[in-house]
Short mmCIF file of all heavy atoms in Angstrom, two decimals:
data_model
loop_
_atom_site.label_atom_id
_atom_site.label_comp_id
_atom_site.label_asym_id
_atom_site.label_seq_id
_atom_site.Cartn_x
_atom_site.Cartn_y
_atom_site.Cartn_z
N TYR A 1 73.06 7.38 -10.75
CA TYR A 1 71.69 7.05 -10.39
C TYR A 1 70.98 6.27 -11.48
O TYR A 1 69.89 5.74 -11.29
CB TYR A 1 70.90 8.33 -10.09
CG TYR A 1 71.07 9.38 -11.17
CD1 TYR A 1 70.36 9.33 -12.36
CD2 TYR A 1 71.98 10.42 -10.99
CE1 TYR A 1 70.53 10.27 -13.35
CE2 TYR A 1 72.16 11.38 -11.98
CZ TYR A 1 71.43 11.30 -13.15
OH TYR A 1 71.63 12.24 -14.13
N ASP A 2 71.62 6.20 -12.66
CA ASP A 2 71.02 5.52 -13.81
C ASP A 2 71.18 4.02 -13.64
O ASP A 2 72.28 3.53 -13.40
CB ASP A 2 71.71 6.00 -15.09
CG ASP A 2 70.96 5.59 -16.34
OD1 ASP A 2 70.27 4.55 -16.32
OD2 ASP A 2 71.08 6.30 -17.36
N THR A 3 70.09 3.28 -13.79
CA THR A 3 70.17 1.82 -13.61
C THR A 3 71.07 1.18 -14.66
O THR A 3 71.61 0.09 -14.43
CB THR A 3 68.76 1.19 -13.71
OG1 THR A 3 68.13 1.63 -14.92
CG2 THR A 3 67.90 1.62 -12.53
N GLN A 4 71.26 1.84 -15.79
CA GLN A 4 72.18 1.31 -16.80
C GLN A 4 73.62 1.40 -16.33
O GLN A 4 74.50 0.69 -16.82
CB GLN A 4 72.02 2.09 -18.11
CG GLN A 4 70.61 2.05 -18.68
CD GLN A 4 70.15 0.64 -18.99
OE1 GLN A 4 70.89 -0.16 -19.54
NE2 GLN A 4 68.91 0.33 -18.63
N ASN A 5 73.86 2.31 -15.36
CA ASN A 5 75.22 2.49 -14.85
C ASN A 5 75.38 1.89 -13.45
O ASN A 5 76.25 2.28 -12.70
CB ASN A 5 75.57 3.98 -14.80
CG ASN A 5 75.71 4.58 -16.18
OD1 ASN A 5 75.98 3.86 -17.13
ND2 ASN A 5 75.50 5.88 -16.29
N HIS A 6 74.50 0.96 -13.09
CA HIS A 6 74.57 0.37 -11.76
C HIS A 6 75.94 -0.27 -11.54
O HIS A 6 76.41 -1.06 -12.36
CB HIS A 6 73.47 -0.68 -11.60
CG HIS A 6 73.47 -1.36 -10.26
ND1 HIS A 6 73.57 -0.66 -9.08
CD2 HIS A 6 73.39 -2.67 -9.92
CE1 HIS A 6 73.54 -1.52 -8.08
NE2 HIS A 6 73.44 -2.74 -8.57
N LEU A 7 76.57 0.11 -10.45
CA LEU A 7 77.94 -0.35 -10.12
C LEU A 7 78.92 0.01 -11.22
O LEU A 7 79.81 -0.77 -11.58
CB LEU A 7 77.96 -1.85 -9.84
CG LEU A 7 77.06 -2.32 -8.68
CD1 LEU A 7 77.21 -3.81 -8.46
CD2 LEU A 7 77.38 -1.56 -7.40
N ASN A 8 78.73 1.20 -11.78
CA ASN A 8 79.61 1.74 -12.82
C ASN A 8 81.07 1.58 -12.38
O ASN A 8 81.46 1.97 -11.29
CB ASN A 8 79.27 3.23 -13.02
CG ASN A 8 80.01 3.84 -14.19
OD1 ASN A 8 81.14 3.47 -14.48
ND2 ASN A 8 79.35 4.78 -14.85
N SER A 9 81.86 1.00 -13.26
CA SER A 9 83.26 0.70 -12.90
C SER A 9 84.07 1.95 -12.67
O SER A 9 85.10 1.91 -11.99
CB SER A 9 83.91 -0.14 -14.02
OG SER A 9 83.86 0.57 -15.25
N SER A 10 83.62 3.10 -13.20
CA SER A 10 84.37 4.34 -12.99
C SER A 10 84.05 4.98 -11.65
O SER A 10 84.66 5.97 -11.28
CB SER A 10 84.06 5.33 -14.13
OG SER A 10 82.70 5.68 -14.12
N VAL A 11 83.10 4.41 -10.92
CA VAL A 11 82.71 4.93 -9.61
C VAL A 11 83.28 4.02 -8.53
O VAL A 11 83.11 2.80 -8.57
CB VAL A 11 81.18 5.01 -9.47
CG1 VAL A 11 80.80 5.54 -8.09
CG2 VAL A 11 80.59 5.89 -10.56
N ASN A 12 83.93 4.63 -7.58
CA ASN A 12 84.54 3.85 -6.50
C ASN A 12 83.50 3.55 -5.42
O ASN A 12 83.57 4.06 -4.30
CB ASN A 12 85.73 4.61 -5.91
CG ASN A 12 86.48 3.79 -4.88
OD1 ASN A 12 86.46 2.56 -4.92
ND2 ASN A 12 87.15 4.47 -3.95
N TRP A 13 82.54 2.69 -5.76
CA TRP A 13 81.53 2.29 -4.79
C TRP A 13 82.16 1.41 -3.71
O TRP A 13 82.91 0.49 -4.02
CB TRP A 13 80.41 1.49 -5.46
CG TRP A 13 79.47 2.29 -6.31
CD1 TRP A 13 79.40 2.28 -7.67
CD2 TRP A 13 78.47 3.21 -5.87
NE1 TRP A 13 78.42 3.12 -8.11
CE2 TRP A 13 77.82 3.71 -7.02
CE3 TRP A 13 78.06 3.66 -4.62
CZ2 TRP A 13 76.79 4.64 -6.96
CZ3 TRP A 13 77.03 4.57 -4.55
CH2 TRP A 13 76.39 5.06 -5.71
N VAL A 14 81.82 1.68 -2.48
CA VAL A 14 82.32 0.87 -1.36
C VAL A 14 81.16 0.08 -0.79
O VAL A 14 80.23 0.66 -0.21
CB VAL A 14 82.95 1.76 -0.26
CG1 VAL A 14 83.41 0.89 0.91
CG2 VAL A 14 84.10 2.58 -0.82
N PRO A 15 81.17 -1.27 -0.93
CA PRO A 15 80.08 -2.07 -0.37
C PRO A 15 80.21 -2.19 1.14
O PRO A 15 81.30 -2.33 1.68
CB PRO A 15 80.26 -3.43 -1.05
CG PRO A 15 81.71 -3.49 -1.40
CD PRO A 15 82.16 -2.09 -1.67
N THR A 16 79.06 -2.13 1.82
CA THR A 16 79.07 -2.24 3.27
C THR A 16 77.66 -2.55 3.77
O THR A 16 76.68 -2.15 3.15
CB THR A 16 79.56 -0.94 3.95
OG1 THR A 16 79.52 -1.10 5.36
CG2 THR A 16 78.72 0.25 3.55
N SER A 17 77.56 -3.26 4.87
CA SER A 17 76.27 -3.46 5.51
C SER A 17 76.03 -2.41 6.59
O SER A 17 74.96 -2.36 7.17
CB SER A 17 76.19 -4.86 6.13
OG SER A 17 77.22 -5.03 7.08
N LYS A 18 77.05 -1.58 6.85
CA LYS A 18 76.95 -0.51 7.85
C LYS A 18 77.36 0.81 7.20
O LYS A 18 78.50 1.26 7.33
CB LYS A 18 77.83 -0.81 9.05
CG LYS A 18 77.39 -2.05 9.83
CD LYS A 18 78.27 -2.27 11.05
CE LYS A 18 77.80 -3.48 11.84
NZ LYS A 18 78.64 -3.72 13.05
N PRO A 19 76.43 1.44 6.49
CA PRO A 19 76.76 2.68 5.79
C PRO A 19 77.08 3.79 6.78
O PRO A 19 76.53 3.83 7.88
CB PRO A 19 75.50 2.99 4.99
CG PRO A 19 74.40 2.33 5.77
CD PRO A 19 75.01 1.08 6.35
N PRO A 20 77.96 4.73 6.41
CA PRO A 20 78.30 5.84 7.32
C PRO A 20 77.10 6.73 7.57
O PRO A 20 76.25 6.93 6.69
CB PRO A 20 79.40 6.58 6.56
CG PRO A 20 79.20 6.22 5.12
CD PRO A 20 78.67 4.82 5.13
N LYS A 21 77.04 7.28 8.78
CA LYS A 21 75.96 8.17 9.18
C LYS A 21 76.49 9.59 9.34
O LYS A 21 77.66 9.79 9.64
CB LYS A 21 75.34 7.70 10.50
CG LYS A 21 74.80 6.28 10.46
CD LYS A 21 74.31 5.85 11.84
CE LYS A 21 73.84 4.39 11.83
NZ LYS A 21 73.36 3.96 13.18
N GLN A 22 75.62 10.56 9.16
CA GLN A 22 75.94 11.98 9.35
C GLN A 22 77.17 12.39 8.55
O GLN A 22 77.97 13.21 8.99
CB GLN A 22 76.14 12.29 10.84
CG GLN A 22 75.01 11.85 11.74
CD GLN A 22 73.64 12.36 11.28
OE1 GLN A 22 73.52 13.47 10.77
NE2 GLN A 22 72.62 11.54 11.46
N GLN A 23 77.29 11.84 7.37
CA GLN A 23 78.44 12.14 6.50
C GLN A 23 77.93 12.92 5.29
O GLN A 23 77.12 12.41 4.53
CB GLN A 23 79.12 10.85 6.04
CG GLN A 23 80.30 11.08 5.11
CD GLN A 23 81.04 9.79 4.81
OE1 GLN A 23 81.71 9.24 5.69
NE2 GLN A 23 80.90 9.29 3.60
N PRO A 24 78.41 14.16 5.10
CA PRO A 24 77.92 14.95 3.96
C PRO A 24 78.47 14.45 2.63
O PRO A 24 79.42 13.66 2.58
CB PRO A 24 78.43 16.36 4.28
CG PRO A 24 79.61 16.15 5.17
CD PRO A 24 79.34 14.90 5.96
N LEU A 25 77.84 14.93 1.57
CA LEU A 25 78.28 14.67 0.19
C LEU A 25 78.43 13.18 -0.09
O LEU A 25 79.41 12.73 -0.69
CB LEU A 25 79.60 15.39 -0.11
CG LEU A 25 79.61 16.91 0.09
CD1 LEU A 25 80.98 17.49 -0.27
CD2 LEU A 25 78.52 17.58 -0.73
N THR A 26 77.44 12.40 0.33
CA THR A 26 77.54 10.95 0.22
C THR A 26 76.40 10.38 -0.61
O THR A 26 75.23 10.72 -0.41
CB THR A 26 77.52 10.30 1.62
OG1 THR A 26 78.58 10.85 2.40
CG2 THR A 26 77.70 8.79 1.53
N TRP A 27 76.77 9.52 -1.55
CA TRP A 27 75.80 8.77 -2.33
C TRP A 27 75.62 7.40 -1.69
O TRP A 27 76.58 6.74 -1.31
CB TRP A 27 76.30 8.57 -3.77
CG TRP A 27 76.38 9.83 -4.58
CD1 TRP A 27 77.40 10.73 -4.58
CD2 TRP A 27 75.43 10.30 -5.53
NE1 TRP A 27 77.15 11.75 -5.47
CE2 TRP A 27 75.94 11.51 -6.08
CE3 TRP A 27 74.20 9.83 -5.99
CZ2 TRP A 27 75.25 12.24 -7.04
CZ3 TRP A 27 73.52 10.56 -6.96
CH2 TRP A 27 74.04 11.75 -7.47
N TYR A 28 74.35 7.00 -1.57
CA TYR A 28 74.01 5.68 -1.05
C TYR A 28 73.20 4.94 -2.10
O TYR A 28 72.32 5.51 -2.75
CB TYR A 28 73.17 5.79 0.22
CG TYR A 28 73.84 6.51 1.37
CD1 TYR A 28 73.59 7.87 1.60
CD2 TYR A 28 74.68 5.85 2.25
CE1 TYR A 28 74.17 8.54 2.66
CE2 TYR A 28 75.28 6.51 3.32
CZ TYR A 28 75.02 7.85 3.52
OH TYR A 28 75.61 8.51 4.57
N LYS A 29 73.50 3.65 -2.24
CA LYS A 29 72.75 2.82 -3.19
C LYS A 29 72.44 1.48 -2.54
O LYS A 29 73.27 0.91 -1.84
CB LYS A 29 73.56 2.61 -4.47
CG LYS A 29 72.85 1.76 -5.52
CD LYS A 29 73.71 1.57 -6.77
CE LYS A 29 73.84 2.86 -7.54
NZ LYS A 29 74.43 2.64 -8.89
N ALA A 30 71.21 1.00 -2.77
CA ALA A 30 70.82 -0.31 -2.28
C ALA A 30 69.87 -0.94 -3.29
O ALA A 30 69.13 -0.22 -3.98
CB ALA A 30 70.14 -0.19 -0.91
N VAL A 31 69.90 -2.27 -3.36
CA VAL A 31 69.00 -3.02 -4.25
C VAL A 31 67.96 -3.68 -3.36
O VAL A 31 68.30 -4.52 -2.51
CB VAL A 31 69.77 -4.05 -5.09
CG1 VAL A 31 68.82 -4.75 -6.06
CG2 VAL A 31 70.90 -3.37 -5.86
N VAL A 32 66.70 -3.31 -3.54
CA VAL A 32 65.66 -3.68 -2.57
C VAL A 32 64.44 -4.28 -3.25
O VAL A 32 64.21 -4.10 -4.46
CB VAL A 32 65.23 -2.45 -1.75
CG1 VAL A 32 66.42 -1.89 -0.96
CG2 VAL A 32 64.65 -1.36 -2.65
N ASN A 33 63.64 -4.98 -2.45
CA ASN A 33 62.33 -5.47 -2.90
C ASN A 33 61.31 -4.34 -2.82
O ASN A 33 61.49 -3.37 -2.08
CB ASN A 33 61.86 -6.63 -2.02
CG ASN A 33 62.58 -7.93 -2.34
OD1 ASN A 33 63.05 -8.12 -3.46
ND2 ASN A 33 62.65 -8.81 -1.36
N SER A 34 60.22 -4.50 -3.55
CA SER A 34 59.14 -3.53 -3.45
C SER A 34 58.36 -3.79 -2.16
O SER A 34 58.33 -4.92 -1.66
CB SER A 34 58.21 -3.63 -4.65
OG SER A 34 57.58 -4.90 -4.68
N PRO A 35 57.75 -2.75 -1.59
CA PRO A 35 56.92 -2.96 -0.39
C PRO A 35 55.76 -3.89 -0.72
O PRO A 35 55.25 -3.89 -1.85
CB PRO A 35 56.42 -1.56 -0.04
CG PRO A 35 57.32 -0.63 -0.78
CD PRO A 35 57.76 -1.35 -2.00
N PRO A 36 55.30 -4.68 0.24
CA PRO A 36 54.19 -5.61 -0.03
C PRO A 36 52.89 -4.88 -0.30
O PRO A 36 52.69 -3.74 0.12
CB PRO A 36 54.11 -6.43 1.27
CG PRO A 36 54.71 -5.54 2.32
CD PRO A 36 55.78 -4.76 1.63
N GLY A 37 51.99 -5.56 -1.02
CA GLY A 37 50.68 -5.00 -1.29
C GLY A 37 50.67 -4.07 -2.48
O GLY A 37 51.65 -3.97 -3.23
N GLN A 38 49.55 -3.38 -2.65
CA GLN A 38 49.37 -2.45 -3.78
C GLN A 38 49.04 -1.04 -3.33
O GLN A 38 48.71 -0.19 -4.16
CB GLN A 38 48.27 -2.98 -4.71
CG GLN A 38 48.65 -4.25 -5.45
CD GLN A 38 49.91 -4.09 -6.29
OE1 GLN A 38 50.05 -3.11 -7.02
NE2 GLN A 38 50.83 -5.05 -6.18
#
């Protein structure tokens, strides 16, 4: 979860545009824009 370890090579991150649903014990990561406005 640490931004310094983003895409940590020791973690087997699987990139996908269709993340699994209803799957336990799952970490999800996405790089996103901030919501508009203040």
Side-chain angles (χ1 to χ4, degrees):
Y1 49 80
D2 192 332
T3 52
Q4 301 300 316
N5 292 336
H6 179 47
L7 300 182
N8 187 326
S9 59
S10 63
V11 179
N12 185 26
W13 287 108
V14 177
T16 179
S17 59
K18 296 182 178 180
K21 302 175 183 180
Q22 308 307 324
Q23 179 174 289
L25 303 181
T26 303
W27 293 83
Y28 299 96
K29 181 180 290 191
V31 183
V32 299
N33 284 335
S34 63
Q38 292 302 313

